[in-house]
């Protein structure tokens, strides 16, 4: 998996075991490559007006398309990247074709998401270069949270509380390194106050006003510190899954589409990416490794409660984590409420 992800980021083709050779359109270094067919996502196919065709009608499925002429990279990139829609409005005509290797196609689009690139590939291209072999089963191994283990831990005083410990987690099958911050003294007789926080460079570090991530992180840490002062304790799980799992670059692409008038859900779908791709079972595994099986969860998102429960963590209480909006994130917060099922209380 690590080699396959590295190959996609470097623009090298993948040889899917039992399937085709796929060349990533966004990063491809074989500039002379061309192919009769492209693999894209159903969400992107909908933008290209292919969703009314039977072969492209299943939501969230990969779609195989053929053009009137072979796709070279200059023709394929506007198909893949919605940022080029206005610059290249007359694309096509395209035809959606039957996909005989659907399992491989699903895995390829998931690999693109993990690599943080646009989910679009030339299929069996000419002059693509040497391909990196990968099997669908490799993805299953990568997604198995049981491989995660504690790497190290250390005392880490933070501004919210001087009584804090940081725990680092790593897996041989995954390049992401997650951390937990334990505030207060860990107790076996009291369910901790827990917050699952997915990394947000723009919000956590740069103070972005487009989301509420930075204020949520700060408020969670102070709530846990207050809990510790009263004899309880808290655990912040900081998960390395930027942009709800689509990666930093694609998140910034979605921001650009939001500036054109699309909400956060439609922006992701226009990119051909899921609007929710976070890995919550890994959070459950982190809690398990910490010896925590019952928690009080700070969240407005019922999906987090359901995901943790499905992974064996008992959520004894859901605690609302609502903060005031601002002129820059009001629409984003409304979209989370109206289209993603987030609760107000």
């Amino acid at each position: 998996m690590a080699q396959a992800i590295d190959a996609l980021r470097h623009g090298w083709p993948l040889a899917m075991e039992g399937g085709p050779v796929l060349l990533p359109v966004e990063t491809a270094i074989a500039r002379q490559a061309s192919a009769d067919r492209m693999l894209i996502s159903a969400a992107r196919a909908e933008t290209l007006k292919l969703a009314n065709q039977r072969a492209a009608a299943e939501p969230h499925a990969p779609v195989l398309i053929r053009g009137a002429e072979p796709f070279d990279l200059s023709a394929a990139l506007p198909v893949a990247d919605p940022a080029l829609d206005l610059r290249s409005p007359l694309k096509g005509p395209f035809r959606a074709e039957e996909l005989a290797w659907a399992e491989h196609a699903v895995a390829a689009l998931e690999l693109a998401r993990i690599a943080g690139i646009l989910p679009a590939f030339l299929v069996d291209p000419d002059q693509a270069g040497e391909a990196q072999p990968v099997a669908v089963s490799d993805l299953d191994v990568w997604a198995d949270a049981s491989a995660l283990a504690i790497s190290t831990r250390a005392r880490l005083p933070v501004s919210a509380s001087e009584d804090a410990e940081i725990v680092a987690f790593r897996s041989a099958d995954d390049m992401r390194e997650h951390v937990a911050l334990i505030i207060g003294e860990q107790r076996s007789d009291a369910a901790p106050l827990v917050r699952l926080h997915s990394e947000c460079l723009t919000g956590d570090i740069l103070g972005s006003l487009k989301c509420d991530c930075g204020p949520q992180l700060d408020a969670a840490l102070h709530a846990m510190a207050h809990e510790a002062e009263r004899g309880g304790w808290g655990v912040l799980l900081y998960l390395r899954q930027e942009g709800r799992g689509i990666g930093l670059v694609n998140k910034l692409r979605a921001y650009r589409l939001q500036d054109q008038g699309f909400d956060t859900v439609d922006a992701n779908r226009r990119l051909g990416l899921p609007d929710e791709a976070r890995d919550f079972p890994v959070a459950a595994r982190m809690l398990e490794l910490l010896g925590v099986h019952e928690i009080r969860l700070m969240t407005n998102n019922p999906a987090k409660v359901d995901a943790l429960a499905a992974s064996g963590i008992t959520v004894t209480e859901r605690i609302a984590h609502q903060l005031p909006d601002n002129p820059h994130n009001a629409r984003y917060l409304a979209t989370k409420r109206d289209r993603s099922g987030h609760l107000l209380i």
Side-chain angles (χ1 to χ4, degrees):
M1 271 293 294
Q3 290 175 322
I5 294 168
D6 189 59
L8 292 180
R9 289 176 174 166
H10 282 86
W12 303 329
L14 297 181
M16 304 295 294
E17 184 179 282
V21 171
L22 300 174
L23 181 68
V25 170
E26 178 187 348
T27 57
I29 59 173
R31 305 312 300 174
Q32 303 304 313
S34 66
D36 293 329
R37 298 173 299 168
M38 276 186 68
L39 182 70
I40 59 175
S41 74
R44 186 62 182 148
E46 182 179 2
T47 301
L48 298 172
K49 308 304 181 185
L50 292 171
N52 61 326
Q53 297 187 31
R54 183 176 180 181
E58 182 183 346
H60 310 301
V63 176
L64 183 65
I65 65 171
R66 183 183 294 272
E69 300 289 339
F71 296 101
D72 60 17
L73 288 174
S74 63
L77 190 57
V79 176
D81 190 349
L84 303 177
D85 281 346
L86 295 179
R87 192 185 310 171
S88 304
L90 300 177
K91 294 183 282 289
F94 305 122
R95 182 181 72 220
E97 296 192 338
E98 182 178 357
L99 187 56
W101 34 276
E103 186 180 20
H104 301 82
V106 169
L109 294 189
E110 180 67 1
L111 281 166
R113 180 192 67 79
I114 295 167
I117 65 171
L118 293 169
F121 296 88
L122 295 184
V123 179
D124 286 328
D126 299 325
Q127 303 183 57
E130 184 177 355
Q132 169 66 41
V134 63
V136 173
S137 58
D138 294 337
L139 191 61
D140 297 332
V141 173
W142 186 89
D144 184 3
S146 64
L148 195 71
I150 293 177
S151 294
T152 192
R153 55 202 308 162
R155 178 176 172 272
L156 182 70
V158 295
S159 59
S161 172
E162 294 184 4
D163 184 15
E165 180 187 26
I166 190 166
V167 184
F169 302 80
R170 189 159 56 189
S171 169
D173 301 312
D174 188 346
M175 294 179 291
R176 299 172 299 175
E177 295 172 330
H178 309 286
V179 298
L181 189 69
I182 300 173
I183 293 183
E185 182 179 353
Q186 183 167 348
R187 296 171 47 186
S188 59
D189 61 339
L193 185 62
V194 172
R195 171 71 181 165
L196 275 57
H197 188 91
S198 297
E199 73 173 326
C200 177
L201 172 71
T202 50
D204 299 342
I205 306 300
L206 302 178
S208 167
L209 298 177
K210 287 180 70 71
C211 64
D212 56 347
C213 299
Q216 280 195 340
L217 176 60
D218 187 61
L221 290 173
H222 281 87
M224 291 173 192
H226 181 63
E227 187 78 8
E229 291 172 358
R230 299 188 300 170
W233 61 298
V235 181
L236 176 85
L237 301 182
Y238 196 85
L239 307 170
R240 303 296 304 279
Q241 40 193 10
E242 180 84 49
R244 291 178 171 263
I246 66 172
L248 176 62
V249 172
N250 282 330
K251 182 181 82 168
L252 299 183
R253 287 182 170 128
Y255 278 0
R256 183 172 180 175
L257 291 172
Q258 289 171 32
D259 289 340
Q260 296 175 15
F262 299 98
D263 68 25
T264 183
V265 172
D266 287 335
N268 280 32
R269 292 178 180 175
R270 197 167 183 85
L271 285 164
L273 295 163
D275 49 276
E276 176 59 90
R278 287 176 291 181
D279 181 3
F280 294 130
V282 75
R285 172 62 176 165
M286 292 166 71
L287 291 170
E288 177 187 353
L289 290 168
L290 293 172
V292 177
H293 303 286
E294 292 188 357
I295 65 173
R296 298 160 56 225
L297 186 63
M298 299 182 68
T299 186
N300 303 320
N301 185 358
K304 288 184 179 180
V305 178
D306 294 341
L308 291 177
S311 298
I313 301 296
T314 299
V315 179
T316 62
E317 182 183 6
R318 185 191 67 82
I319 299 171
H321 194 43
Q322 192 76 21
L323 296 171
D325 61 13
N326 67 60
H328 301 278
N329 70 13
R331 187 186 183 200
Y332 165 73
L333 298 180
T335 300
K336 288 205 296 184
R337 179 196 66 215
D338 299 338
R339 303 194 63 183
S340 301
H342 286 222
L343 304 174
L344 292 178
I345 57 173

